[in-house]
Amino acid sequence: MSETALPSAPPVTTIAELGKHEGQSVLLRGWLYNLRESGKLLFPIFRDGTGTIQGVAHKAGVSAEVFETLKGLTQESSVKVTGKVRADKRAPGGYELDVEQVEVVQRVPEEDPYPITPKDHGVDFLMERRHLWVRSTRQAAILRVRAEIMRAAAEYFDTNGFTRTDPPILTPAACEGTSTLFPVDYFGEEAFLTQSGQLYIESTALALGKVYSFGPTFRAEKSKTRRHLTEFWMIEPEVAFCDLDGLMELAENFIAHIVQSVLAKRKADLLVIGRDIAKLEAIAAPFPRLRYDAAVEMLNQAFKDGHLEQPFEYGNDFGSPDETWLSSQFDRPVMVHRYPAAVKAFYMQPDPENPQFAMCVDVLAPEGYGEIIGGSQRVDSYDLLKNRIEEHKLPMDAFQWYLDLRRYGSVPHAGFGMGIERAVAWICGLDHVRETIPFARTLNRMFP
Ligand code: 4AD
Ligand code: MG
């Protein structure tokens, strides 16, 4: 007696995993990204969140029902597709799908088509439809790279002896200057959305030694630049018994780890985005270190040579064009340290060799990206910190708990903050931070 095998249902898989199923029939669940029709041949492109794949359906090769279902199917209709995986060297992902079955989950109506078509749209049009725009291959690739940057950043600290401690988001006082605070009504009292977790993780660093925080931060920035968001994500380490040199070493190893992780895990996405991979492959510690004074000399020279429109005034913080110029002079991030104390935050330790300078560092990403990290050694003397709070006209009462950290077992300590969106912009090679976060909040955008 002969036994006939029951036809088994094709395994459910994802586009990213198709390589494991070459020659097999599989079931994909996703959306119709695009459809090219050429007489008796249909070339649907499907996406499923892990990638895209081109399907092929020949009128003679599929049932009439399947052919009719696919023909004229509207963009972004949701589908379940069965097909055989075929290796194809010319295909972007290395595979094509010979379509066998199609089930439409929801058909986008002809009279109300998906608004984002493969043609070029302006950025404002797309930002207004950000809730749909995230479906495009490029935007999805950016979000995957973002996720890997965040994962690798946390991993670096998790595997190097740091404890994650989460600071509050609702805070009673400023950390990074009073001009960019977002006020919140807190049961009739004024509170603010946090600008940085730093002050709080200085406390947990003195409890746990090496800590980090990772969360959303807020700045009521009136700046309309390609680098500024009003809500952004920051990862911040804080280390007890650490000085500026130790901090710069931490910063370069941290960034190198992130870039290497992205190259190892998300190279295909970088290619979709069009990133020049060789530029990222060059990123290895150590990074060049440049005193503020030496950076100013470079800016003066650049002005003389006609590369900058404005002369740089010694003593100022760098503006965007200055950072752009400086960071385009190096093939890896450059660490600019010892800025004039007068233009930096109240909590920064003065340079013991010349208190006019702060023991701080900004890490400027190459290719003109500019600041991605800001950090410093912190004032550890009670008296000096108290003077600083007075000089900056900050409310002394609100900072008593912060002064306690200098009253009880103060130690030299240091930390930095890296803005995730700035890092994503650089690593993906994007010209604006608005594409680096699922829903950007800027001076003139709160929607959707
Ligand atoms: O240089 P900042 O202001 O430093 C601090 O907040 C420190 N308290 C951090 C610390 O020492 N723990 O901000 C740190 C980083 C910047 O280098 C930048 O990458 C990012 O946060 N950042 C912004 N990103 C997007 N939009 C904005 N408006 C940003 N402001 C700062
Ligand atoms: Mg800064």
Side-chain angles (χ1 to χ4, degrees):
M1 225 167 82
S2 76
E3 277 186 32
T4 43
L6 283 171
S8 57
V12 178
T13 188
T14 60
I15 292 169
E17 301 278 288
L18 282 185
K20 295 181 183 159
H21 299 276
E22 194 187 328
Q24 248 184 292
S25 286
V26 296
L27 174 64
L28 294 175
R29 297 175 299 192
W31 296 263
L32 182 72
Y33 193 62
N34 199 1
L35 175 66
R36 201 156 52 81
E37 307 191 14
S38 161
K40 291 181 171 150
L41 270 173
L42 303 177
F43 299 102
I45 296 177
F46 301 106
R47 61 168 195 90
D48 74 345
T50 71
T52 57
I53 178 123
Q54 172 160 292
V56 183
H58 196 286
K59 192 163 188 177
V62 295
S63 72
E65 192 197 334
V66 167
F67 194 84
E68 285 313 310
T69 305
L70 262 184
K71 199 168 150 42
L73 188 60
T74 42
Q75 189 192 344
E76 285 302 316
S77 289
S78 41
V79 290
K80 293 182 184 172
V81 192
T82 306
K84 192 172 270 175
V85 182
R86 174 168 42 77
D88 185 327
K89 285 211 176 63
R90 294 158 306 168
Y95 299 94
E96 279 196 346
L97 193 74
D98 288 322
V99 176
E100 294 165 336
Q101 288 293 332
V102 184
E103 180 194 328
V104 176
V105 179
Q106 187 248 336
R107 187 187 171 95
V108 173
E110 260 91 12
E111 62 280 13
D112 186 13
Y114 187 69
I116 302 174
T117 59
K119 72 160 200 191
D120 272 352
H121 296 283
V123 171
D124 285 339
F125 177 95
L126 293 166
M127 284 303 287
E128 202 62 19
R129 291 157 186 81
R130 182 65 174 166
H131 52 295
L132 302 175
W133 188 24
V134 287
R135 300 182 186 194
S136 80
T137 38
R138 179 183 161 84
Q139 296 304 314
I142 293 169
L143 294 184
R144 278 191 292 267
V145 174
R146 173 189 168 93
E148 176 57 23
I149 289 171
M150 294 175 94
R151 193 202 62 75
E155 173 185 72
Y156 183 84
F157 296 130
D158 289 337
T159 54
N160 281 283
F162 288 72
T163 302
R164 177 171 174 163
T165 59
D166 304 310
I169 287 173
L170 291 167
T171 59
C175 173
E176 291 300 319
T178 48
S179 63
T180 62
L181 284 173
F182 268 119
V184 188
D185 174 67
Y186 195 73
F187 305 116
E189 302 272 313
E190 189 171 56
F192 306 97
L193 296 177
T194 186
Q195 298 167 309
S196 156
Q198 180 196 322
L199 305 189
Y200 292 95
I201 62 171
E202 284 185 53
S203 152
T204 55
L206 299 192
L208 298 155
K210 299 205 282 185
V211 300
Y212 75 101
S213 68
F214 199 174
T217 48
F218 305 85
R219 306 269 168 106
E221 298 264 11
K222 290 272 157 54
S223 359
K224 257 166 81 177
T225 78
R226 59 198 176 90
R227 296 172 179 162
H228 287 93
L229 295 165
T230 52
E231 176 179 325
F232 60 98
W233 281 67
M234 197 172 356
I235 186 160
E236 302 178 82
E238 191 71 31
V239 185
F241 297 103
C242 180
D243 61 11
L244 182 60
D245 279 334
L247 189 70
M248 290 198 272
E249 216 173 287
L250 179 66
E252 64 196 1
N253 290 328
F254 169 69
I255 291 177
H257 173 76
I258 293 171
V259 172
Q260 281 152 19
S261 299
V262 171
L263 284 171
K265 302 233 169 69
R266 302 258 65 111
K267 201 175 255 174
D269 288 317
L270 292 173
L271 292 172
V272 166
I273 299 162
R275 184 63 165 116
D276 180 349
I277 305 273
K279 292 234 163 68
L280 294 178
E281 283 167 345
I283 307 303
F287 297 165
R289 299 177 185 198
L290 192 66
R291 280 190 77 110
Y292 170 87
D293 281 23
V296 171
E297 269 171 40
M298 286 178 67
L299 292 174
N300 289 341
Q301 190 60 48
F303 176 67
K304 273 190 209 140
D305 296 345
H307 299 301
L308 288 172
E309 281 171 25
Q310 303 281 329
F312 183 78
E313 204 176 309
Y314 185 90
N316 282 352
D317 204 347
F318 300 131
S320 281
D322 307 319
E323 279 187 6
T324 301
W325 167 260
L326 284 173
S327 63
S328 65
Q329 301 309 298
F330 298 88
D331 65 353
R332 58 188 75 188
V334 54
M335 302 200 281
V336 183
H337 57 94
R338 293 178 170 82
Y339 286 66
V343 294
K344 288 291 182 182
F346 77 97
Y347 53 70
M348 291 184 181
Q349 176 79 4
D351 185 349
E353 282 171 19
N354 181 350
Q356 298 296 100
F357 295 105
M359 296 296 271
C360 66
V361 60
D362 277 4
V363 182
L364 313 183
E367 300 171 68
Y369 277 91
E371 180 189 341
I372 55 171
I373 278 182
S376 69
Q377 197 176 321
R378 321 305 189 187
V379 171
D380 54 55
S381 142
Y382 174 84
D383 290 330
L384 181 57
L385 184 60
K386 188 161 168 276
N387 289 343
R388 283 291 178 76
I389 293 171
E390 274 162 6
E391 281 162 24
H392 282 79
K393 300 195 170 55
L394 294 167
M396 193 60 74
D397 281 355
F399 284 93
Q400 282 306 328
W401 71 267
Y402 186 59
L403 279 162
D404 272 355
L405 308 179
R406 279 72 180 170
R407 281 191 186 99
Y408 307 116
S410 189
V411 298
H413 61 288
F416 64 72
M418 183 180 82
I420 292 297
E421 292 72 21
R422 300 261 183 102
V424 175
W426 162 51
I427 290 173
C428 290
L430 309 177
D431 58 16
H432 201 294
V433 288
R434 68 189 154 214
E435 288 179 45
T436 63
I437 185 166
F439 295 94
R441 297 290 175 250
T442 58
L443 186 55
N444 41 26
R445 178 163 295 282
M446 257 294 279
F447 178 87

